[in-house]
Amino acid sequence: MLTSFIPVDKESHFPIQNLPFSAFETEDGEIHLCSAIGDYVIDLFVLDEAGLFDGKHLKDQFAFQDSTLNFFMGLGKPAWQEARQTLTNLLDKENPTLRDDDLLRSRVFIPMEDVEMVMPVEIGDYTDFYSSEQHAFNVGSMFRDPDNALMPNWKHLPVGYHGRASSIVLSGTDLHRPKGQTIPNDSDQPVFSDSKLLDFELEVGFFTGPGNELGDTISVDNAEDHIFGMVLVNDWSARDIQKWEYQPLGPFLAKNWATSISPWIVTLDALSPFRLDMPEQDPEVLPYLNQKNRSTFDINLEVYLDNEKLNEPHKLATSNYKHMYWSMAQQLAHQTVTGCNVRPGDIYASGTISGNTEDSYGSMLELTWKGTKPVQLNDGSERKFIQDGDNIIMTGYAENDDYRIGFGVVEGKILPAKQ
Ligand code: CA
């Protein structure tokens, strides 16, 4: 098995097999692109400046001397794979280039605990899908009828809506409870107040690479070549605002005030040992969605709630990315089938991921069944929805006998509404 001269704990999310991409703020206040190994950030600016990305796709491109990944994302899969191979070689325990250069090593590896991560992408557009069947079934059962929980279109197309990119924030950003218009249960007149039914949504998103020109499409069998990598997503939702506003055009302000993402973008190459075939779809889909060898990834997902009163974070849910009805490739083919253009640095979220057991649901709405079954926390208190001071932490990783390919965490604390 490939190993690095940098020691990596077996439970670490960042072995040499991962090599995710992100950005951090240096001691001098500059933004540098980075990767990660073990407990260290790898400063890609320093490696690029030293001329070590010298393959045919990256030589003289200065791809890692930008402050965002957008240019690198736009170079496409051959450049991504070359960067991954270059890093793998440089970190290999048998390779002296970096291993034996003390000065360069001291500039390239920075303890993760000493740095602040920053948003690594200038995000252009954000689409949020609704691709977990159990989630769609749960919501449909609660708000309509268990016998007709899925809308007639659900198994024919990946349902989604265009979200808000400006309010996507990095893990660790605290958020004020939103205010808005809601309708009390016993009234036909709306009121304006703090959202009372604040929720998280456990999702995984992907960033796109090259994309397509306006008017062109991305075919389902080529779509993965346009997927740069994946992050954890908490798509915060104000359920009471959503309930009043959503018909007939779908979610609007309930979801536009914040979406949190994890800082590390994990590539599909790193996740490839964890591919799982997806079951045949019934009913059969239209040809533009009919993907050969449909597959997904076995990624464990966990959600925790923490606050000042709890001794330790309380686990709310355990789920898995494999519980998806639609693949990322189908989502991207559907997004572009009209000729909609996709650009480097756009993000596409999966929709809430719920498994088929009550402890694997990906939102408070489902875990507490609209608040009818409150969750008991380990300090004896109860939650129907998120309270001020609650920190929601999500983590995710794929795992085999030898290593983990992890995403780190996405977390965010809810502060009282601004007055
Ligand atoms: Ca969502």
Side-chain angles (χ1 to χ4, degrees):
M1 189 181 75
L2 189 65
T3 52
S4 173
F5 56 86
I6 299 287
V8 179
D9 189 89
K10 202 174 167 200
E11 310 250 293
S12 169
H13 282 200
F14 308 112
I16 190 172
Q17 289 82 3
N18 191 345
L19 304 176
F21 292 96
S22 191
F24 74 106
E25 186 172 343
T26 70
E27 254 183 339
D28 304 328
E30 291 174 6
I31 306 302
H32 283 188
L33 298 175
C34 61
S35 183
I37 186 157
D39 297 328
Y40 294 91
V41 159
I42 304 169
D43 191 329
L44 297 180
F45 180 98
V46 173
L47 290 177
D48 199 0
E49 207 181 31
L52 291 168
F53 289 103
D54 56 0
K56 67 175 178 176
H57 298 289
L58 290 168
K59 189 177 165 62
D60 300 327
Q61 292 284 354
F62 313 108
F64 299 116
Q65 300 190 39
D66 272 357
S67 58
T68 67
L69 287 163
N70 294 63
F71 174 75
F72 175 57
M73 291 166 144
L75 292 178
K77 196 171 175 181
W80 309 339
Q81 292 186 326
E82 185 179 290
R84 178 174 171 80
Q85 192 56 54
T86 299
L87 282 172
T88 302
N89 293 344
L90 286 171
L91 294 164
D92 188 331
K93 70 175 188 311
E94 306 298 340
N95 185 344
T97 309
L98 189 52
R99 186 191 67 196
D100 298 348
D101 186 334
D102 287 344
L103 183 61
L104 191 57
R105 269 183 76 153
S106 71
R107 296 179 61 216
V108 167
F109 299 107
I110 303 140
M112 248 180 222
E113 59 188 11
D114 293 347
V115 305
E116 184 163 349
M117 304 304 295
V118 297
M119 183 64 80
V121 182
E122 189 178 339
I123 300 174
D125 278 296
Y126 167 34
T127 292
D128 190 22
F129 287 99
Y130 189 59
S131 291
S132 150
E133 184 173 356
Q134 186 70 48
H135 173 68
F137 175 81
N138 288 346
V139 174
S141 300
M142 266 183 261
F143 292 102
R144 283 187 304 277
D145 158 18
D147 293 332
N148 297 290
L150 297 185
M151 298 295 274
N153 60 5
W154 201 89
K155 290 200 167 182
H156 293 281
L157 54 85
V159 169
Y161 67 96
H162 289 109
R164 184 78 192 171
S166 69
S167 56
I168 299 179
V169 298
L170 205 65
S171 175
T173 307
D174 294 340
L175 300 157
H176 288 276
R177 179 176 296 271
K179 291 179 282 198
Q181 211 183 112
T182 63
I183 190 119
N185 279 337
D186 51 2
S187 171
D188 58 3
Q189 287 301 309
V191 298
F192 181 79
S193 73
D194 304 350
S195 169
K196 305 281 195 292
L197 307 182
L198 198 61
D199 204 353
F200 63 83
E201 289 190 334
L202 170 65
E203 307 196 18
V204 172
F206 65 85
F207 278 105
T208 45
N212 56 321
E213 296 293 327
L214 183 67
D216 289 347
T217 59
I218 294 176
S219 78
V220 72
D221 289 318
N222 291 334
E224 281 201 0
D225 289 348
H226 294 269
I227 298 175
F228 177 74
M230 300 165 74
V231 290
L232 303 173
V233 178
N234 179 354
D235 186 36
W236 301 96
S237 298
R239 300 294 180 197
D240 42 358
I241 295 173
Q242 184 176 357
K243 185 183 166 198
W244 172 231
E245 74 173 0
Y246 86 103
Q247 287 173 321
L249 289 185
F252 187 35
L253 308 188
K255 290 164 180 284
N256 81 346
W257 53 280
T259 303
S260 300
I261 65 169
S262 55
W264 295 106
I265 307 175
V266 178
T267 65
L268 302 198
D269 283 331
L271 289 164
S272 66
F274 305 96
R275 272 192 194 270
L276 295 174
D277 291 337
M278 295 176 88
E280 208 165 297
Q281 290 177 305
D282 180 22
E284 195 178 340
V285 296
L286 288 170
Y288 81 95
L289 290 171
N290 193 352
Q291 182 187 3
K292 292 191 206 90
N293 307 317
R294 230 166 54 96
S295 68
T296 185
F297 297 103
D298 183 2
I299 304 169
N300 302 298
L301 301 168
E302 295 167 0
V303 187
Y304 296 84
L305 185 154
D306 197 13
N307 64 33
E308 284 181 347
K309 292 184 189 134
L310 299 178
N311 295 327
E312 57 183 38
H314 179 94
K315 190 190 260 192
L316 288 171
T318 306
S319 189
N320 193 300
Y321 183 67
K322 70 186 177 189
H323 299 301
M324 300 291 289
Y325 188 79
W326 297 100
S327 70
M328 290 186 285
Q330 290 177 307
Q331 291 171 334
L332 197 53
H334 186 63
Q335 173 81 49
T336 61
V337 73
T338 52
C340 171
N341 50 329
V342 161
R343 296 172 296 185
D346 289 353
I347 189 168
Y348 299 81
S350 59
T352 308
I353 302 164
S354 293
N356 48 18
T357 55
E358 286 182 14
D359 60 358
S360 63
Y361 295 167
S363 64
M364 291 299 278
L365 178 73
E366 294 162 272
L367 289 166
T368 71
W369 210 256
K370 259 200 310 188
T372 60
K373 298 183 196 170
V375 170
Q376 303 290 327
L377 300 185
N378 53 29
D379 68 341
S381 65
E382 282 189 347
R383 285 293 181 285
K384 294 176 178 171
F385 288 91
I386 299 168
Q387 293 185 1
D388 292 348
D390 288 348
N391 189 32
I392 300 296
I393 306 160
M394 298 174 180
T395 187
Y397 58 90
E399 178 174 55
N400 60 24
D401 289 343
D402 299 317
Y403 58 81
R404 283 182 173 182
I405 299 293
F407 288 77
V409 299
V410 56
E411 62 180 314
K413 186 160 81 177
I414 296 298
L415 305 175
K418 279 195 175 177
Q419 295 312 318

